[in-house]
């Protein structure tokens, strides 16, 4: 209700919009209304009336566009489905007399008539017939009403019948007439029949099915009214030769029968006779329609016993007729005719398939005449359904017998019937039964009939077949199921003939077999079995004369058998099972009587076929194969081999000379015969028998194979010869191992190098040729595999087996996919699970060879490789999860490499645990070879298998460890070039190390230094493996600690250091090991300073050098320093240390004997003091270095601690109190570097522990001042100056009063030192001393200032800017001691951004001094001479400029005191100085001197 309300609301809303919207919107509105009306079953009357009003209005409005008017008319017409009368009234009301109606009104009326008129007329008639009493009109009599109805009917048929929508209306008119009980006149009925039939036959194709149903309903109504008239009409019409009429009648009759009209069943015979009228019609469509009608008649029981058989016969005959025509159409290439005949054939089979033989009356129709179709060849295609029909009939009869009721179903027979004989039935059914092995329904039906027909075949077979045939019905499995099935059928035949024991019966059976020879094609399985069955029948025949005559007839006229060679060979072979003497005798007589050469020519010219010598060769082989074994061996040489070799020799001769015969047929026949003889001898199982022709015959076979080309596969001679060799090789006398190897190698080299199969196939011109080549290829490879399998496993010596397997090795790793594929398929055939290997047969090497190919590029190789591996374990007797492995193997069909890798890994995990431990080394050697040579996909599998094996067996490999590591290391240089393979090597080492870390470490440490790339990579691999990282670093630390116990570094500890470098360089965490590792490596660096490597460094192993790479001579200290550098880098990453202020220069300093101590200090400064635990551990472990017997190590320790002494926090927690004492002692050491570091430590104590300085000031000052006298080593002096500066900053004038004068005097001596650091430190120290003068030393210090002032003034322009700044500061500090505060202003100018020139500065300074103190000016002059020779250009220039300023500002009194000659000489010399600034300054000073002398009238 809710949905209806929504629809009505939607319509009302839409109607409200019609008067408001423009024409464009109306188009959308009407489209929407059309959709609503068509999808609604019920509409409210009020809404319908409103819709009629609006649509009629818009349809007639001339102002609306045509599209709108058309849409309005469509909506109006669609409303007729809801209220036809109202719509019709509205349309009619718009017609006016004598007025031309509107165009769209007329169109709407036409559309209404088309859609609804016929339906409304029919319903009106129907309503009138049923409710005439309610009408006010007078009732019409039957004749008048029928006339009117017929007129209407005819009009409908002529005008509207072709349209599908009106067929139902016709049916309603006829139904109304029948219900009204109107009896049409005969002429009227006939007219109705004819009109209906003709209209039905003119139905257009698209609406055929719908109209066929309605037309059938019409005829069904007519049949119900008068079935006799209808059948009479059908019979009359079907006798016309019109194809369409016949098909129409047959189709309508089929529909009427399908409706099961009861009144029509009284006319079954009429129906049958009607059908028989068209049985001779050759038209395919008529035949098909007839067959479909017969099918319906069978289903609805319209088959009568007396008249019905011709209809069944017609079905079979039509199949046979179509078969025959199809054979002709194939030749004439008439495609349309072929399609039509196939349709008839399929319809015939469909009728038989759906035929129910047990419907009422059908058994009497079918039995026993249905048997007549079993034997004839033309009905072979119907046997599937024919056998089923016969089986149902017979089983129904058996059930009736079982229920003890009288049976009549299968005894009624109408007329004489030519039924097949029992022998014919047996021959036919037995041959067809052979198809059951192929899963054929026909074959199963035949064997099923044999089971239930023993009484019909022969009464004696009832009990026998009850026992034998159930055995036949058991399922057969395996590749030989077909052969086994044939043997079982032949055995059934033998035992049946023995049970019957009737020679005449047997002879007749053989004749029936012979008569049915033409029923099968020569290449069919049925024909081949028929030959065997005929031979078996002859073998069971006790009439030897008949058997002899039959054999002779076959030899003389073999063409009657179809394929003469196969036929005569099979027949004589099976016949020989019981009649060997007769067969050989007839053969010998035949050879003697026939002149082969002449006869062959004669028969060629006469067109007849005759047996050749080649055929006879084949016959001898077949006879030998089937001959009784107890008779064969005694007659083998004389009665078989001698005639075969004689015949072959004759065929190989031309004009009496033996030549290499290229007759493939001869070679094939000879090979086949020899093979069958080999099989026969082997089956005889006589262990004493020596086959004297063995080597000669194998030679023949090898010659055949050698002659075959290597670029094609055109003949089967390879395949057949390989089979022959396999059987011959098993016979005694036994061949030697060399013979075996030669035979196998020759055969392998003649098959595996063939071109790819696709290329071989392309040599075939037709698809059949290509299939034949494919067949030859598969059989040849199979034969080679079986030959290998036979020769390998027949040998009891494991070594010999291995040698034969090695013949395939080069092919298993071939670069050509197709060669690998063949080799692996052969290997899979050899390694099957049905064999047993020699006791000491080893699988490790073979497994390593096979396993990687589980990920090969071809799915066939992957499958074969996996099968081979499974077989390898099986032949060794190792029980595995075979079913699971086989399930995994199926997954290798996938082309996704990642999926293949995963599956291979799963297989490896299952299989590797079963590899014998003593064979692991061989397995690993093979996989390593694979890593070198195989393609990437196989390489991955190779690595996976290797790792999995090591994981499974790692714990048990201790005894083989050195050998395993050796072979791994041997392969590394080559594998390095293959990155992925190399990664597997590294993982393998890690796996081994996880079980035997100490052994692996010792082995790697024995590698020569410097480590080559491979050794380095192995160390890194151990470090990168989470399972081994901790172990390897701990083992290396222990070995490093042991090696440095005596503070001496040997080669072994250098190796350990290099190993540690490789381990840490990959980012191995060092947090827990850092203090210990740091101190050990620092000790190692110290102990290796200046040391040379004592042993040879070159490795004798193979090594692949990179382009530009050179062998380096190792420096122990450099190697150790590199390791320490790596450790520090990792420590910085982990927040344990910081970047050194020396940067990378640190490590250069550290490994040099001269700068080692500097590097150690820089290293110490990079320690993070706030990492208390780390630094304290380092201090504790490094403390023994201060008292070490190694001088270098003492220097290292002292230098390191000297930097730590300035850290206050370490004084509180560490052992620096004890260090201080040792430092003071070392400050007096004879080693200058050690003294320097000790003094630095004492000086840094001032920063770290000021209270210690005050406490031990006397001892520390004496030790430090002592360093100022070490003039040979300025670094000691410099260190002492720096230490004094730090210490003096903490002391008072009283604390240093005793040492003040000594310190000042010693400090002044270094103002002109060549070392910048010494000069700078001395100036800074002198400045600090100014604050410690006290009263006692103030005058002394002022005098020292006067002496030092010249240095301070000149070094204002020192090359080192820091010294210039220090000199200015010291001048500012010291001028108060001289009372020269006026100089502050001049000195302040030095701080200006625009720095004064030296000349200007000195002139201003001297002006001030001249006014204040001429004495100081004169002192400066007297001291300036020494600086004219300074090594620094700037100092020389400054000294000259200062002299210039002094001379300019001296009073005349002091000018007179000048040593003018000396000064002039020196200035003139300086005018020649190489520095231009010096030259200019000297020239200016000289001019000033001359001017002043002139002013004072002093001659120069």
């Amino acid at each position: 209700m809710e949905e209806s309300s929504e629809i009505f609301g939607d319509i009302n809303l839409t109607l409200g919009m019609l008067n408001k919207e423009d024409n464009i919107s109306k188009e959308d509105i009407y489209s929407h209304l059309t959709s609503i009306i068509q999808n609604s079953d019920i509409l409210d009357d009020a809404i319908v009336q409103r819709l009629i009003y609006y649509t009629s209005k818009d349809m007639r409005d001339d102002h609306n566009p045509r599209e709108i008017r058309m849409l309005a008319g469509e909506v109006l017409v669609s409303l007729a489905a809801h209220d036809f009368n109202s719509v019709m009234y509205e349309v009619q009301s718009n017609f006016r007399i004598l007025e031309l109606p509107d165009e769209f009104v007329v169109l709407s009326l036409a559309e209404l008539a088309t859609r609804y008129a016929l339906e409304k007329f029919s319903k009106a008639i129907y309503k009138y017939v049923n409710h005439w009493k309610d009408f006010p009109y007078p009732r019409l009599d039957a004749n008048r009403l029928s006339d009117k109805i017929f007129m209407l009917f005819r009009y409908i048929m002529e005008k509207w019948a072709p349209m599908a929508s009106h067929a139902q209306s016709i049916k309603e008119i006829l139904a109304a007439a029948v219900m009204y009980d109107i009896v049409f006149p005969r002429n009227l009925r006939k007219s109705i029949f004819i009109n209906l039939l003709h209209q039905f036959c003119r139905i257009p194709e698209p609406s055929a099915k719908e109209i066929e149903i309605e037309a059938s309903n019409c005829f069904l109504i007519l049949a119900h009214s008068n079935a006799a008239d209808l059948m009479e009409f059908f019979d009359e019409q079907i006798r016309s030769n019109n194809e369409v009429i016949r098909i129409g009648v047959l189709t309508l009759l089929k529909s009427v029968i399908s409706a099961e009209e009861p009144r029509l069943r009284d006319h079954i015979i009429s129906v049958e006779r009607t059908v028989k009228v068209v049985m001779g019609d050759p038209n395919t469509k008529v035949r098909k329609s007839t067959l479909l009608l017969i099918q319906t008649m069978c289903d609805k029981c319209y088959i009568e016993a007396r008249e019905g058989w011709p209809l069944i016969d017609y079905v079979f005959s039509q199949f046979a007729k179509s078969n025959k025509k199809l054979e002709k159409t194939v030749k004439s290439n008439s495609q349309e005719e072929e399609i039509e005949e196939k349709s008839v054939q399929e319809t015939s089979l469909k009728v038989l398939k759906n035929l129910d033989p047990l419907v009422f009356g059908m058994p009497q129709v079918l039995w026993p005449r249905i048997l007549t179709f079993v034997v004839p060849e033309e009905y072979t295609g119907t046997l599937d359904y024919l056998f089923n029909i016969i089986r149902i009939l017979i089983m129904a009869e058996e059930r009736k017998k079982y229920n003890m009721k009288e049976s009549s179903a299968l005894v009624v027979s109408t007329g004489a019937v030519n039924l097949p004989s029992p022998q014919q039935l047996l021959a036919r059914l037995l041959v067809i039964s052979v198809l059951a092995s192929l899963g054929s329904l026909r074959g199963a039906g035949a064997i099923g009939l044999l089971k239930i027909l023993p009484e019909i075949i022969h009464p004696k077979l009832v009990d026998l077949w009850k026992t034998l045939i159930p055995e036949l019905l058991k399922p057969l499995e395996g590749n030989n199921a077909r052969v086994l099935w044939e043997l079982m059928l032949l055995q059934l035949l033998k035992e049946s003939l023995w049970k019957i024991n009737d020679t005449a019966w047997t002879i007749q059976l053989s004749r029936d077999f012979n008569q049915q020879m033409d029923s099968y094609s020569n290449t069919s399985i049925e024909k081949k079995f028929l030959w065997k069955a005929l031979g078996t029948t002859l073998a069971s025949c006790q009439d030897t004369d008949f058997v002899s005559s039959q054999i002779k007839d076959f030899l003389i006229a073999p063409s009657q058998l179809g394929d003469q060679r196969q036929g005569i060979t099979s027949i004589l072979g099976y016949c020989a099972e019981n009649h060997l003497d007769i067969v050989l005798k007839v053969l010998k007589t035949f050879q003697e009587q026939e002149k082969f050469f002449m006869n062959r020519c004669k028969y060629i010219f006469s067109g007849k076929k005759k047996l050749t010598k080649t055929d006879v060769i084949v016959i001898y082989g077949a006879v030998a194969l089937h001959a009784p074994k107890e008779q064969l061996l005694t007659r083998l040489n004389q009665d078989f081999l001698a005639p075969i070799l004689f015949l072959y020799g004759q065929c190989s001769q031309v004009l009496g000379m033996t030549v290499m015969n290229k007759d493939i047929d001869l070679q094939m026949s000879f090979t086949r015969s020899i093979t069958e003889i080999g099989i026969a001898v082997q089956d005889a199982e006589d262990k004493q028998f020596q086959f004297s022709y063995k080597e000669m015959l194998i030679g023949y076979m090898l010659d055949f194979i050698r002659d075959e080309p290597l670029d094609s596969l055109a003949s089967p001679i390879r395949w057949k010869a390989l089979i022959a060799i396999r059987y011959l090789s098993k016979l005694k006398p036994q061949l030697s191992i060399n013979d075996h190897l030669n035979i196998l190698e020759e055969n392998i080299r003649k098959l595996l190098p063939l071109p790819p199969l696709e290329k071989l196939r392309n040599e075939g011109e037709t698809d059949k040729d290509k299939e034949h080549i494919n067949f030859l290829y598969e059989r040849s490879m199979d034969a080679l595999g079986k030959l290998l399998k036979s020769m390998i496993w027949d040998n009891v010596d494991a070594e010999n087996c291995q040698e034969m397997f090695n013949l395939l090795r080069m092919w298993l790793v071939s670069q050509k996919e197709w060669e690998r594929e063949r080799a692996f398929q052969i290997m899979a055939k050899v390694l099957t699970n049905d064999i047993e290997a020699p006791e000491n047969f080893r699988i490790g090497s073979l497994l390593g060879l096979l396993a990687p190919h589980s990920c090969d590029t071809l799915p066939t190789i992957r499958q074969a490789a996996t099968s081979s591996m499974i077989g390898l374990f099986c032949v060794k007797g190792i029980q595995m999860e075979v079913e699971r492995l086989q399930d995994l193997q199926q997954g290798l069909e996938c082309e996704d490499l990642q999926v293949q890798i995963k599956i291979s890994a799963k297989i490896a995990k299952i299989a590797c645990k079963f590899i014998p431990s003593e064979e692991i080394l061989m397995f690993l050697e093979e996989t390593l070879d694979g890593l070198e040579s195989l393609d990437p996909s196989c390489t991955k599998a190779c690595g996976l298998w290797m790792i999995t094996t090591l994981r499974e067996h790692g714990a048990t490999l201790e005894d083989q460890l050195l050998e395993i590591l050796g072979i791994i290391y041997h392969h590394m240089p080559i594998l390095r070039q293959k990155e992925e393979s190399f990664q597997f090597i590294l993982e393998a080492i890690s796996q081994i190390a996880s079980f035997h870390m100490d052994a692996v470490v010792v082995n790697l440490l024995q590698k020569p230094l410097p480590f080559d790339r491979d050794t380095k990579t192995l160390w890194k691999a151990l470090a990168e493996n989470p399972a081994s990282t901790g172990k390897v670093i701990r083992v290396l630390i222990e070995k490093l600690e042991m090696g440095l116990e005596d503070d001496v570094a040997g080669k072994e500890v250098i190796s350990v250091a290099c190993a540690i470098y490789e381990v840490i360089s990959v980012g191995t965490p060092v947090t827990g090991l850092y203090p210990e590792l740091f101190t050990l490596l620092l000790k190692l660096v110290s102990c290796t300073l200046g040391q040379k490597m004592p042993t040879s460094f070159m490795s004798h192993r193979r090594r692949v050098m990179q382009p530009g790479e050179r062998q380096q001579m190792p420096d122990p200290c450099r190697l150790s320093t590199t390791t320490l550098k790596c450790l520090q880098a990792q420590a910085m990453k982990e927040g344990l240390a910081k970047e050194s202020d020396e940067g990378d220069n640190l490590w250069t300093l550290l490994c040099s004997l001269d700068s080692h101590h500097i590097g150690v200090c820089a290293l110490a400064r990079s320690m993070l003091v706030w990492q208390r635990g780390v630094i304290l551990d380092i201090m504790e472990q490094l403390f023994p270095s201060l008292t070490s017997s190694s001088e270098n190590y003492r220097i290292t320790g002292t230098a390191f601690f000297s930097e730590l002494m300035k850290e206050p926090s370490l004084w509180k927690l560490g052992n620096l109190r004890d260090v201080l004492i040792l430092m003071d002692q070392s400050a007096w050491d004879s080693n200058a570097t050690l003294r320097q570091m000790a003094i630095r430590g004492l000086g840094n104590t001032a920063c770290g522990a000021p209270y210690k300085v005050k406490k031990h000031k006397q001892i520390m000052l004496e030790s430090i001042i002592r360093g100022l006298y070490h003039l040979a080593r300025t670094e000691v002096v410099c260190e002492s100056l720096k230490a004094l500066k730090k210490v003096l900053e903490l002391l008072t004038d009283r604390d240093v009063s005793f040492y003040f004068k000594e310190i000042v005097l010693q400090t002044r001596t270094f103002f002109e030192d060549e070392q910048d650091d010494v000069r700078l430190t001395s100036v800074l120290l002198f400045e600090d001393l100014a604050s410690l003068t006290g009263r006692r030393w103030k005058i002394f210090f002022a005098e020292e200032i006067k002496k030092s002032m010249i240095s301070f003034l000149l070094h204002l322009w020192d090359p080192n800017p820091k010294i210039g700044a220090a000199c200015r500061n010291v001048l500012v500090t010291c001028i108060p001691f001289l009372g020269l505060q006026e100089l502050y202003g001049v000195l302040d100018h030095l701080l200006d951004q625009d720095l004064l020139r030296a000349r200007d500065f000195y002139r201003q300074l001297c002006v001030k001094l001249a006014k204040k103190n001429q004495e100081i000016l004169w002192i400066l002059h007297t001291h300036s001479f020494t600086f004219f020779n300074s090594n620094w250009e700037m100092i020389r220039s400054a000294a000259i400029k200062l002299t210039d300023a002094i001379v300019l500002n001296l009073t005349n009194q002091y000018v007179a005191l000048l040593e003018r000659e000396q000064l002039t000489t020196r200035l003139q010399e300086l005018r020649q100085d190489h520095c231009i600034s010096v030259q200019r300054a000297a020239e200016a000073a000289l001019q000033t001197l001359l001017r002043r002398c002139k002013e004072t009238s002093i001659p120069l």
Side-chain angles (χ1 to χ4, degrees), residues 249-280:
V249 171
L250 292 170
T251 304
L252 289 170
L253 189 55
K254 171 178 172 291
S255 300
V256 173
I257 293 173
S258 297
E260 300 189 52
E261 168 58 44
R263 296 183 182 182
L264 189 63
R265 191 165 290 281
D266 297 332
H267 304 277
I268 290 178
I269 294 177
S270 298
V271 173
E272 290 177 335
R273 289 174 179 172
T274 300
V275 174
K276 290 176 184 178
V277 172
V278 295
M279 283 186 178

Side-chain angles (χ1 to χ4, degrees), residues 116-128:
Y116 302 106
L118 182 58
E119 178 184 351
K120 297 301 179 182
F121 294 159
S122 301
K123 286 182 178 178
I125 295 170
Y126 186 81
K127 188 173 183 178
Y128 177 77

Side-chain angles (χ1 to χ4, degrees), residues 1053-1331:
V1053 291
I1054 306 301
S1055 296
V1056 175
C1058 293
I1060 292 173
Y1061 169 80
E1062 303 302 333
V1063 171
I1064 296 176
S1065 65
V1066 298
T1068 302
V1070 296
T1071 301
L1073 304 170
Y1074 177 63
E1076 182 180 8
L1077 194 51
F1078 175 83
T1079 53
L1080 286 172
L1081 289 174
L1082 186 59
K1083 182 178 182 179
L1084 180 62
V1085 171
S1086 177
C1087 294
T1088 54
L1089 279 170
Q1091 182 178 322
K1092 300 295 182 184
M1093 195 65 71
T1095 58
S1096 174
F1097 325 113
M1098 296 300 293
S1099 172
H1100 297 291
R1101 68 188 286 268
R1102 59 175 183 166
R1103 184 175 178 209
V1104 178
M1105 303 291 290
Q1106 293 296 316
E1109 182 182 4
R1110 294 181 300 171
Q1111 185 75 23
Q1112 296 181 348
M1113 299 295 286
D1115 175 3
C1117 187
R1118 182 183 59 78
L1119 295 175
S1120 306
T1121 304
T1122 303
T1123 304
L1124 182 58
K1125 177 182 179 182
C1126 184
L1127 174 66
Q1128 283 301 95
Q1130 183 62 30
M1132 285 189 283
K1133 291 178 183 177
E1134 298 179 29
L1136 304 175
K1138 63 182 179 180
E1139 180 71 32
S1140 170
D1141 49 19
E1142 289 287 344
D1144 284 341
N1145 188 47
L1146 164 66
W1147 312 108
T1148 306
L1149 297 171
L1150 203 60
C1151 64
S1152 171
L1153 193 60
D1154 296 331
S1155 59
H1156 173 72
H1157 58 289
I1158 301 173
V1160 173
C1161 290
L1163 186 62
R1165 291 194 296 274
S1166 69
M1167 295 290 104
L1168 292 178
V1169 179
W1170 53 268
Q1171 288 278 7
R1172 299 292 173 80
V1174 174
I1175 194 67
L1176 290 177
D1177 284 348
I1178 291 174
M1179 290 168 62
E1180 181 181 354
Q1181 295 183 39
L1182 201 58
F1183 183 77
S1185 66
L1186 299 175
T1187 57
S1188 172
S1189 59
S1190 169
E1191 189 174 68
N1192 285 344
Y1193 193 34
R1194 289 204 310 278
I1195 292 172
T1196 301
T1198 303
F1200 191 85
F1201 277 107
S1202 70
E1203 290 294 331
L1204 300 184
M1205 301 292 276
K1206 62 185 177 185
E1207 299 295 339
S1209 60
L1210 298 181
W1211 280 91
K1212 297 177 182 178
L1213 301 173
N1215 54 0
L1216 293 183
R1217 298 174 184 83
D1218 298 332
V1219 173
L1220 181 61
I1221 297 171
L1222 295 175
M1223 286 277 186
D1224 185 67
Q1225 294 174 3
S1226 298
W1228 298 84
D1229 198 276
S1230 59
N1231 187 290
T1233 305
L1234 186 58
R1235 289 180 64 187
Q1236 177 190 358
M1237 293 298 100
I1239 292 170
R1240 178 177 294 184
L1242 294 174
N1244 285 340
T1245 303
C1247 302
Y1251 62 93
K1252 289 290 181 180
V1253 173
K1254 294 177 180 178
K1255 182 177 180 181
H1256 303 288
K1257 57 183 176 293
Q1258 182 178 354
I1259 298 174
M1260 293 179 66
L1261 283 172
E1262 288 180 357
S1263 298
I1264 295 171
I1265 293 171
R1266 175 74 175 174
L1268 296 176
Y1269 293 93
H1270 204 302
L1271 301 179
R1273 297 291 294 272
T1274 55
E1275 59 269 21
V1276 177
V1277 173
C1278 185
E1279 205 64 62
S1280 299
L1281 291 169
K1282 292 178 180 178
L1284 272 174
K1285 186 178 186 309
K1286 294 175 183 177
V1287 170
L1288 291 178
E1289 288 175 355
L1290 301 176
L1291 301 177
T1292 65
D1293 56 339
R1294 291 183 180 182
D1295 295 333
V1296 299
S1297 179
F1298 180 77
Y1299 304 101
F1300 184 79
K1301 183 178 181 181
E1302 182 179 10
I1303 293 172
V1304 171
L1305 293 174
Q1306 284 301 113
T1307 301
R1308 282 193 62 241
T1309 61
F1310 303 113
F1311 287 162
E1312 303 304 324
D1313 196 272
E1314 293 182 357
Q1315 299 293 328
D1316 287 8
D1317 207 16
V1318 175
R1319 292 200 311 280
L1320 176 61
T1321 309
S1322 63
V1323 171
L1324 294 173
L1325 178 59
F1326 194 86
E1327 181 185 359
D1328 290 344
L1329 287 171
S1331 64

Side-chain angles (χ1 to χ4, degrees), residues 796-824:
V796 295
D797 190 330
E799 293 296 328
N800 291 344
C801 292
Q802 294 286 358
E803 283 193 51
M804 286 186 271
F805 270 116
N806 286 337
L807 294 174
L808 283 175
R809 180 177 292 272
M810 64 174 286
W811 304 100
L812 292 171
V813 295
S814 170
Q815 295 299 312
K816 299 175 181 177
E817 281 185 340
W818 61 90
E819 291 181 353
R820 288 203 312 278
E821 180 184 29
R822 293 163 187 166
F824 271 99

